[in-house]
Amino acid sequence: MNEINQLVGEHPCFHKAAAHWFGRLHLPVAPDCNIKCHYCTRLYDCANENRPGVTSRLMSPKEALQHVRRSLAKEPRIRVIGIAGPGDPLANRATLVTLRLVHAHFPDLIKCLSTNGLLLPENLPALKSAGVRAVTVTVNAVSPAVGARIYGHVFYRGRVYRGAAGAELLWRAQYAGIRLAAAMGLAVKVNSVLIPGVNDGHLLQVARSVRAAGAHLMNVIPLIPRGAFAALQPPPPGQVARIRQKLAPVIAQMTHCRRCRADAAGMLLEGGTDAAF
Ligand code: SF4
Ligand code: SF4
């Protein structure tokens, strides 16, 4: 637990005070995805983690390593190197290649990953040996009936799963991944997109389930209506804060997320182009 506390204290997303002292750098090396969220158009960065409306320029693993070098020269307070898209990092071979490369050259920096979780359990040993110490898993539903309204399909081991079957498969993988990651000593954050009329009444159950699996922190992010959900309304003013307040006794809530781009760089709370909410 001490190791987790130390890690969390140096990660600007896991600890608000740390966001004043340490920066993060995202490496946009992962364009592909293996699921279809109804709020995603795939025209922009993964909406689970990143700011919609802006597409990151893709980098190869070697370019990403150069980018780390250049960014550290400009901003030595960068402490976390993360991969958060623009698709799902674990659906892309380049993710592990990049993490290994960066870890070999910068072993002291914290490596971090944001994923939909479908391929998390089977990748955790390799991620850990590539220096990953923190993961974010986006969990929008733990009930197959609710999940069936959020996910169009889930592509797993050569098969396409739709409806409740896809949602159930996804949550099982997320649960196993969160449990294993926590047991392996990684810091685990869960992102949940708040989708009014779809999962707003379900997030308490999500919070309880991910806490029981071992997650340390939850980040409720408001829907930006796009894709198949373009006709939905975003959460009304105050709803995100009210839900966070309700969930806080179950699991600690992140309140300073800036919904960064997949190529975000620098300090979270100092200017920049990322959108706060
Ligand atoms: Fe889009 Fe991210 Fe969902 Fe994949 S996981 S469909 S990239 S929002
Ligand atoms: Fe941290 Fe939120 Fe930015 Fe992800 S999107 S790096 S959780 S501030």
Side-chain angles (χ1 to χ4, degrees):
M1 196 62 191
N2 279 347
E3 203 185 316
I4 289 274
N5 286 344
Q6 192 193 336
L7 168 68
V8 163
E10 295 177 17
H11 195 306
C13 307
F14 280 75
H15 193 239
K16 193 170 182 179
H20 295 284
W21 308 320
F22 302 109
R24 50 68 181 109
L25 177 68
H26 283 173
L27 303 175
V29 297
D32 295 334
C33 192
N34 43 18
I35 69 172
K36 176 78 183 83
C37 305
H38 283 320
Y39 49 72
C40 179
T41 61
R42 301 305 329 275
L43 292 174
Y44 310 115
D45 289 352
C46 172
N48 288 334
E49 175 78 351
N50 307 127
R51 178 188 182 196
V54 190
T55 309
S56 300
R57 183 182 75 85
L58 280 175
M59 291 178 187
S60 69
K62 278 189 183 159
E63 286 171 326
L65 179 64
Q66 291 308 321
H67 185 51
V68 174
R69 274 192 223 291
R70 276 194 307 268
S71 303
L72 282 168
K74 274 194 227 153
E75 179 48 271
R77 292 175 294 175
I78 288 173
R79 184 81 187 92
V80 175
I81 305 295
I83 299 186
D88 185 72
L90 296 180
N92 295 265
R93 219 187 129 263
T95 296
L96 259 176
V97 176
T98 305
L99 287 166
R100 286 186 181 129
L101 202 54
V102 174
H103 191 50
H105 288 81
F106 300 97
D108 294 336
L109 296 178
I110 296 168
K111 281 67 183 196
C112 180
L113 184 96
S114 174
T115 174
N116 61 39
L118 181 65
L119 298 180
L120 186 57
E122 61 214 67
N123 277 292
L124 271 168
L127 290 171
K128 183 144 188 189
S129 67
V132 171
R133 295 170 64 201
V135 291
T136 292
V137 184
T138 298
V139 181
N140 300 317
V142 298
S143 140
V146 177
R149 298 176 63 193
I150 300 173
Y151 304 109
H153 67 253
V154 171
F155 183 72
Y156 184 68
R157 295 190 179 170
R159 276 190 64 187
V160 176
Y161 298 81
R162 298 185 194 280
E168 186 172 2
L169 174 68
L170 181 61
W171 165 237
R172 279 180 192 274
Q174 291 169 333
Y175 180 79
I178 293 168
R179 272 191 75 132
L180 186 58
M184 288 169 72
L186 275 67
V188 182
K189 175 164 75 65
V190 164
N191 280 357
S192 298
V193 180
L194 166 56
I195 310 166
V198 176
N199 71 350
D200 44 349
H202 179 59
L203 288 185
L204 183 58
Q205 201 182 332
V206 172
R208 287 185 180 134
S209 303
V210 300
R211 182 67 198 117
H216 304 99
L217 184 68
M218 184 173 184
N219 178 22
V220 176
I221 54 183
L223 173 77
I224 296 177
R226 290 182 307 137
F229 280 168
L232 294 188
Q233 292 299 311
Q239 190 184 20
V240 172
R242 280 196 300 278
I243 288 191
R244 283 178 182 153
Q245 215 171 13
K246 189 167 145 194
L247 306 188
V250 178
I251 178 169
Q253 297 291 303
M254 180 179 186
T255 58
H256 64 290
C257 180
R258 295 180 64 89
R259 218 162 188 187
C260 312
R261 292 168 51 157
D263 59 357
M267 305 299 284
L268 269 189
L269 303 179
E270 286 177 14
T273 55
D274 300 326
F277 56 89

